[in-house]
Amino acid sequence: MLNFTPIRKRFQWRKSTALALALTFGLALAGCGNNAASNAAANGAAASNGGLNTSSNSAGAASSSTDSSSNTTTASADKKLTVYSAGPEGLATKLIEGYEAKTGVKVEMFQGTTGKILARMEAEKANPVADVVILASLPSAQGLKDEGLTLPYPDAVNADKLNPDWSDPEGNYFSTSASALGIAYNTKLVKTPPASWEDLAKPEFKDQVNIPDPSLSGSALDFMTGYLSLKGDSGWSLFEDYKKNGVAMAGANQEALDPVITGAKGVVAAAVDYMTYKAKQKGEPVDIVYPAEGTVISPRPAAILKSTQHEANAKAFIDYLLSDEAQKLVSDAALLPGRTDIKAENRANLNEIPQFKVDWNWMNENGADITEKFTKMFK
């Protein structure tokens, strides 16, 4: 029996589990005689599991050709697609609406954290439902690729404009947006913002700091693994000092930020910056700083699953995510666009953020152990 529990906690795919999943997906694919049967199964799974939001937009008929006017691949006639997205809910909804308007495809979306997406995939392992996944952690997508669970799409429109450090050159995943990890703080409570990660271990921040749980937040795990890829084992001293200073592990990203917005806490370490920017735009007393010594950028990769029964629709969706229109929506949501030729507005751009030189391969290989050690340290 397949065991996905370690996968959900670590946001990466242990080889034996992933190979078994690949076999499961392959059998499910072979066992579906036609699209109608597979769609019925997908809809049944969606209904039984709950949480899928169905959006419909009856645009004109679509075909499996390239639409030169929109510069995207048009979808096939079956008009169905299932997307599991770890992106911000408002942005994800707008992206779905934009795609539907251009293709006429009806999209079912499950919105959740990377951990929840992997948990849902566990529940559906005997009958895969998702066609496309959008995750909040690059190592997760690397693991999917490494174990042969993704469908390469090297000809994706505008893929050549993506940040090459964030996406797969063979087209197995495309980081269409990114966030940076910083220090978010309540401007009413914190008059002198911390300037470095080490500052959060100082007495003035005693019992005032939250940090997201890396078993729930892919971006938090990216920060921890990225920091340790640079510092080595000596880097654990920072997290040990955090623990001694009363830093609390507080759920996923929004759960860690909400007490800072209300004033119950003063600071979030490894805060996802776009959430802080959006709260600030709404008038909340929060702001964010990027320590001068550097931080981790957390790309948000999208991938087509090899088990998809709607390949043309999935490819058209990737094309849409890389389009000018979709990248503008990314910028409007206070995220960093995945394309290097599009700048973000009302937030720091990539060249304004000090960055660690992280080792993504090391991060992918060591995420399991780091998650386990960190969660044990803070529970």
Side-chain angles (χ1 to χ4, degrees), residues 189-249:
L189 298 178
V190 180
K191 299 305 181 182
T192 302
S196 71
W197 298 111
E198 288 77 11
D199 284 350
L200 300 182
K202 291 180 177 179
E204 56 260 42
F205 294 108
K206 176 74 174 176
D207 299 325
Q208 282 298 303
V209 181
N210 279 344
I211 192 167
D213 183 340
S215 72
L216 299 174
S217 165
S219 54
L221 180 58
D222 284 354
F223 171 75
M224 294 161 193
T225 55
Y227 183 82
L228 292 168
S229 78
L230 183 70
K231 301 289 186 178
D233 285 342
S234 65
W236 281 106
S237 63
L238 174 70
F239 302 123
E240 292 167 355
D241 290 343
Y242 280 4
K243 178 64 176 178
K244 294 174 184 176
N245 208 41
V247 172
M249 188 172 67

Side-chain angles (χ1 to χ4, degrees), residues 39-374:
N39 290 335
N43 291 337
S48 64
N49 286 320
L52 278 171
N53 296 323
T54 302
S55 300
S56 61
N57 188 313
S58 56
S63 63
S64 57
S65 62
T66 298
D67 180 350
S68 59
S69 63
S70 63
N71 201 32
T72 61
T73 302
T74 54
S76 60
D78 60 14
K79 305 293 183 110
K80 294 182 180 180
L81 189 72
T82 300
V83 176
Y84 289 1
S85 176
E89 184 174 0
L91 171 62
T93 299
K94 290 178 180 178
L95 291 170
I96 295 300
E97 291 172 349
Y99 168 74
E100 287 181 328
K102 286 191 175 296
T103 64
V105 171
K106 177 183 176 182
V107 177
E108 291 182 327
M109 179 178 67
F110 171 69
Q111 173 74 32
T113 65
T114 297
K116 289 180 180 179
I117 288 173
L118 295 178
R120 191 178 186 93
M121 292 174 70
E122 173 190 359
E124 298 167 347
K125 60 183 178 286
N127 185 25
V129 175
D131 298 299
V132 177
V133 293
I134 304 174
L135 305 173
S137 176
L138 184 59
S140 300
Q142 289 177 316
L144 288 173
K145 176 202 170 180
D146 290 346
E147 305 309 333
L149 300 178
T150 54
L151 180 70
Y153 181 30
D155 299 324
V157 179
N158 290 319
D160 60 326
K161 298 176 182 177
L162 290 172
N163 188 318
D165 295 331
W166 300 350
S167 297
D168 178 50
E170 298 173 350
N172 285 279
Y173 55 84
F174 309 86
S175 290
T176 62
S177 65
S179 60
L181 287 305
I183 299 175
Y185 62 97
N186 184 297
T187 55
K188 293 181 178 179
L189 298 178
V190 180
K191 299 305 181 182
T192 302
S196 71
W197 298 111
E198 288 77 11
D199 284 350
L200 300 182
K202 291 180 177 179
E204 56 260 42
F205 294 108
K206 176 74 174 176
D207 299 325
Q208 282 298 303
V209 181
N210 279 344
I211 192 167
D213 183 340
S215 72
L216 299 174
S217 165
S219 54
L221 180 58
D222 284 354
F223 171 75
M224 294 161 193
T225 55
Y227 183 82
L228 292 168
S229 78
L230 183 70
K231 301 289 186 178
D233 285 342
S234 65
W236 281 106
S237 63
L238 174 70
F239 302 123
E240 292 167 355
D241 290 343
Y242 280 4
K243 178 64 176 178
K244 294 174 184 176
N245 208 41
V247 172
M249 188 172 67
N253 300 311
Q254 194 65 55
E255 294 169 296
L257 180 62
D258 283 342
V260 174
I261 292 175
T262 62
K265 290 275 189 171
V267 177
V268 180
V272 178
D273 62 355
Y274 76 85
M275 291 184 175
T276 308
Y277 285 122
K278 295 299 286 186
K280 182 180 178 181
Q281 290 170 11
K282 293 177 181 178
E284 302 290 358
V286 291
D287 209 340
I288 191 162
V289 294
Y290 305 104
E293 68 266 30
T295 188
V296 176
I297 304 295
S298 183
R300 308 173 70 83
I304 303 172
L305 295 177
K306 185 175 286 186
S307 58
T308 180
Q309 294 291 291
H310 308 100
E311 180 177 336
N313 297 352
K315 288 180 175 179
F317 184 70
I318 295 296
D319 285 342
Y320 179 72
L321 292 180
L322 304 185
S323 69
D324 292 356
E325 177 179 300
Q327 290 291 286
K328 177 62 165 57
L329 292 174
V330 167
S331 176
D332 291 345
L335 281 155
L336 290 165
R339 278 172 47 180
T340 58
D341 60 326
I342 295 179
K343 298 299 182 184
E345 300 176 2
N346 302 315
R347 59 151 297 139
N349 273 283
L350 195 60
N351 61 353
E352 301 171 299
I353 302 172
Q355 297 176 54
F356 291 141
K357 293 182 179 180
V358 302
D359 183 341
W360 287 105
N361 290 326
W362 187 94
M363 293 160 66
N364 182 31
E365 293 168 0
N366 291 276
D369 294 337
I370 290 170
T371 299
E372 182 178 6
K373 182 173 180 177
F374 187 92

Side-chain angles (χ1 to χ4, degrees), residues 2-70:
L2 296 179
N3 178 16
F4 282 70
T5 301
I7 299 172
R8 296 200 309 270
K9 289 182 178 180
R10 296 170 345 218
F11 296 171
Q12 62 174 313
W13 302 76
R14 191 180 293 275
K15 187 171 184 179
S16 60
T17 302
L19 289 175
L21 179 59
L23 177 61
T24 302
F25 277 17
L27 291 174
L29 184 61
C32 294
N34 53 52
N35 280 344
S38 67
N39 290 335
N43 291 337
S48 64
N49 286 320
L52 278 171
N53 296 323
T54 302
S55 300
S56 61
N57 188 313
S58 56
S63 63
S64 57
S65 62
T66 298
D67 180 350
S68 59
S69 63
S70 63

